[in-house]
Amino acid sequence: MAVEGLKVDQLQNFINGEFVDVKESTAVINPATGETVVNVPLSSKDSVDAAVASAKTAQKEWALVPAPQRAEVLYEVGRLMKEKKEEISRLLTMENGKVLEEARGEVQEGIDMAFYMAGEGRRLFGHTTPAELQNKFAMSQRAPVGVVGIITPWNFPIAIATWKSFPAIVAGNTVVWKPATETPIMAQKMVEIFEEAGLPKGVINVVYGSGSQVGDAMVHHPDIQVISFTGSNDVGRSIASDCGKQLKKVSLEMGGKNAVIVMDDADIELAVEGILWSAFGTSGQRCTACSRVIVHEDVKEELEKRLVEQMKHLTIGNGLEDSVKVGPIINDAGMEKIEKYVQIGKDEGATLLAGGSPMNEGEYAEGKYFEPTLFTDATADMRISQEEIFGPVVSLISVGSFEEAIEVNNSVTFGLSSSIFTKDVNQVFAAQRDLDTGIVYVNAGTTGAEIHLPFGGTKGTGNGHRDSGVQALDVFTEWKAVYVDYSGKLQRAQIDVD
Ligand code: NAP
Ligand code: MG
């Protein structure tokens, strides 16, 4: 029996506007309850070949549709997402575990992205510029790249897909999308919406299956011109090197080790709220989650005390229930990784102040739950302060000055998000200059990106590209420089200039 809001209990690939069966499949498990939500195909390279062939054919015509008309489809996609927001949000909570309020926020991000990128249909600005010779015209314009391969993670299964597919589509590309195997339902809902909105067949194709089969086949397919990937650092690096060998354009958004800095003049109550929300929301399974707190030594004790006190009020459970603030962990591998790092933290000599254990008893027996966990007396070089845990675990590191706080923040290999709580305007401006991450928050936690700003990180978080914002268009377009000479004679640039 299919769950509410989903018409099927067995998903099918979506290729050239048709739903297509695949022999093998696996169960998608609700991490809050252990129940099967749906079955998802495990496709092979053949499905990727079929999807790419469909996208390649469709792209020739799609590129010729005027961008404002391509955008009309996205306006309709946004409208339909808005209409179905509650239904999609509930399904998102069921497959991913995040609490309903956050699921609604994630779907809203997709809606915002639809309208924002639809607006680009009447912009997609290039530049006109004077030419250096008489009777000559010069301009630059964006051209679609061709077939785009997008590979997305389970932790933001709809928002990230919209960050990538909407700019790709409005710019005249066609898409082959491989969602994470844990969270395919958001892809099914998006396909239904794209169809209803009237997107021509072949413009979006979805192939379900593992990264090592489907993802790898996409990365190596000669007719996919761009790979846009969000996920783990190890997988991202290997995709980058495979794309490098083929000179294929690749955009990577990977992990983070994001910190909240709390200075001695900070509003401590506000800082506590910001830390709890960004560390334990989505059970810490956000790429921008706060996993380090860098605190000025003068307010360390007070912050510790208030954090421990407030953590007692975080209700843990099934995200479909209103009172729940922290949902489950996505799967066994996630649970094992978190447990491993808690042990590493203890072995390294950090002090466990709260949490630290999986929750297996009573109402938690069937799902996968881990207590919100706080270490203190951590040092900047400990593994728990350097490596991504991707769970509800925070390390508190104390520092003696603003300069030291910045140094500790910047001492990790990642560069996604950072935050500072202070009332000192000089520190605010110095911090936004000196924090080396792609996203900086002042007097807010490390999460909460808005879709019209560039999203992404420096250093080991990515390879210089950005999702969302107008900057996302750079991934999905090529710049073309156009010169029109109307002098009637051959004019040579740089030579016939006087
Ligand atoms: P992951 O294992 O790297 O998976 C991400 C996607 O890549 C999935 O669809 C996965 O497929 C696929 N994949 C796996 N191996 C592949 C391969 N060899 N070739 C091609 N594709 C492959 O990451 P995850 O565990 O799902 O997600 C958590 C990670 O994502 C964290 O490190 C987090 O920080 C990062 N993240 C970053 C951002 C950001 O924007 N910076 C946002 C969200 C998450 P299957 O899983 O189906 O096999
Ligand atoms: Mg995975």
Side-chain angles (χ1 to χ4, degrees):
M1 251 297 280
V3 298
E4 202 188 327
L6 197 59
K7 296 186 194 100
V8 294
D9 53 20
Q10 170 67 56
L11 298 179
Q12 294 169 295
N13 286 339
F14 187 70
I15 298 174
N16 204 26
E18 309 274 336
F19 287 99
V20 188
D21 271 331
V22 172
K23 259 196 234 125
E24 274 184 74
S25 66
T26 188
V28 174
I29 307 294
N30 180 338
T33 63
E35 286 160 3
T36 297
V37 191
V38 76
N39 289 305
V40 59
L42 289 174
S43 314
S44 59
K45 185 177 173 299
D46 295 348
S47 303
V48 174
D49 289 344
V52 176
S54 140
K56 191 179 175 184
T57 305
Q59 203 265 330
K60 290 193 187 75
E61 280 187 38
W62 186 241
L64 296 178
V65 174
Q69 287 179 39
R70 296 196 294 252
E72 287 300 324
V73 180
L74 285 188
Y75 280 120
E76 185 59 10
V77 165
R79 196 191 64 74
L80 289 166
M81 287 178 79
K82 211 168 162 178
E83 193 178 288
K84 299 172 200 283
K85 180 174 170 182
E86 192 58 20
E87 170 191 310
I88 300 171
S89 304
R90 296 185 76 82
L91 288 167
L92 172 50
T93 294
M94 278 186 235
E95 67 173 354
N96 164 285
K98 68 178 62 181
V99 302
L100 193 51
E101 189 185 22
E102 290 181 45
R104 290 186 187 117
E106 181 178 343
V107 177
Q108 186 59 45
E109 218 171 317
I111 296 167
D112 296 341
M113 193 66 188
F115 293 126
Y116 176 62
M117 273 300 149
E120 277 306 313
R122 289 187 185 271
R123 287 188 293 262
L124 285 174
F125 294 136
H127 304 279
T128 58
T129 177
E132 66 185 36
L133 292 159
Q134 270 191 7
N135 297 323
K136 187 180 174 189
F137 172 85
M139 67 176 171
S140 64
Q141 64 185 31
R142 292 185 185 275
V145 192
V147 177
V148 167
I150 72 178
I151 302 176
T152 51
W154 50 264
N155 69 336
F156 279 87
I158 193 160
I160 292 176
T162 68
W163 292 353
K164 296 178 189 302
S165 62
F166 293 172
I169 287 170
V170 83
N173 304 280
T174 54
V175 175
V176 176
W177 172 19
K178 190 211 95 60
T181 307
E182 286 93 344
T183 53
I185 296 174
M186 291 302 100
Q188 170 69 23
K189 296 314 285 181
M190 281 312 301
V191 159
E192 288 171 12
I193 287 171
F194 276 127
E195 255 207 317
E196 199 177 335
L199 191 71
K201 65 178 188 172
V203 176
I204 186 127
N205 303 271
V206 173
V207 181
Y208 300 104
S210 73
S212 56
Q213 294 291 315
V214 173
D216 192 68
M218 286 166 62
V219 168
H220 288 96
H221 202 297
D223 288 334
I224 291 186
Q225 281 84 21
V226 189
I227 293 285
S228 178
F229 167 86
T230 297
S232 62
N233 210 275
D234 287 349
V235 174
R237 274 173 200 268
S238 114
I239 289 177
S241 91
D242 288 341
C243 287
K245 287 184 201 124
Q246 304 167 76
L247 291 183
K248 186 176 289 196
K249 195 170 180 181
V250 58
S251 163
L252 307 169
E253 288 302 337
M254 301 177 290
K257 192 68 191 174
N258 317 293
V260 169
I261 297 171
V262 183
M263 292 308 299
D264 48 353
D265 68 337
D267 177 337
I268 302 289
E269 207 46 54
L270 184 65
V272 167
E273 260 186 78
I275 292 164
L276 293 181
W277 169 238
S278 49
F280 303 123
T282 323
S283 310
Q285 304 170 105
R286 286 169 173 160
C287 46
T288 53
C290 162
S291 61
R292 298 181 296 158
V293 171
I294 301 168
V295 59
H296 192 282
E297 59 198 9
D298 291 352
V299 290
K300 172 177 181 259
E301 248 173 67
E302 189 189 350
L303 185 72
E304 283 173 358
K305 205 174 90 211
R306 293 212 208 177
L307 277 172
V308 171
E309 180 52 37
Q310 291 298 317
M311 283 171 70
K312 291 184 191 137
H313 304 301
L314 293 171
T315 327
I316 300 156
N318 186 336
L320 287 178
E321 287 160 28
D322 277 345
S323 58
V324 168
K325 293 277 175 256
V326 181
I329 303 301
I330 188 73
N331 56 24
D332 287 329
M335 288 290 283
E336 283 156 24
K337 188 172 178 194
I338 297 164
E339 280 192 78
K340 183 186 91 175
Y341 273 102
V342 169
Q343 190 55 48
I344 289 171
K346 290 178 186 165
D347 294 344
E348 286 178 314
T351 311
L352 186 62
L353 275 186
S357 304
M359 303 165 77
N360 302 317
E361 308 287 317
E363 61 181 302
Y364 299 115
E366 306 304 324
K368 298 181 198 317
Y369 295 96
F370 203 94
E371 295 173 337
T373 298
L374 178 65
F375 278 109
T376 191
D377 302 326
T379 56
D381 58 349
M382 285 179 178
R383 288 184 64 191
I384 55 163
S385 309
Q386 287 283 328
E387 297 171 22
E388 191 181 47
I389 302 173
F390 227 57
V393 182
V394 177
S395 313
L396 212 133
I397 304 162
S398 83
V399 292
S401 66
F402 172 77
E403 290 72 24
E404 197 189 345
I406 301 286
E407 197 182 308
V408 169
N409 180 82
N410 295 354
S411 72
V412 294
T413 56
F414 298 105
L416 187 52
S417 178
S418 54
S419 121
I420 182 164
F421 283 85
T422 176
K423 291 181 193 138
D424 180 333
V425 70
N426 295 350
Q427 282 183 358
V428 167
F429 279 86
Q432 60 84 23
R433 181 194 59 202
D434 295 342
L435 292 168
D436 68 359
T437 51
I439 306 171
V440 172
Y441 293 94
V442 176
N443 293 326
T446 54
T447 63
E450 299 184 23
I451 57 93
H452 51 303
L453 279 82
F455 182 94
T458 61
K459 302 193 290 185
T461 290
N463 64 340
H465 293 287
R466 291 293 183 267
D467 270 337
S468 90
V470 73
Q471 291 77 5
L473 290 170
D474 288 337
V475 175
F476 303 111
T477 56
E478 291 282 7
W479 279 110
K480 186 179 282 186
V482 179
Y483 303 94
V484 179
D485 193 313
Y486 55 99
S487 68
K489 57 184 184 205
L490 180 70
Q491 299 197 91
R492 298 170 302 171
Q494 293 92 35
I495 296 168
D496 300 328
V497 281
D498 25 62

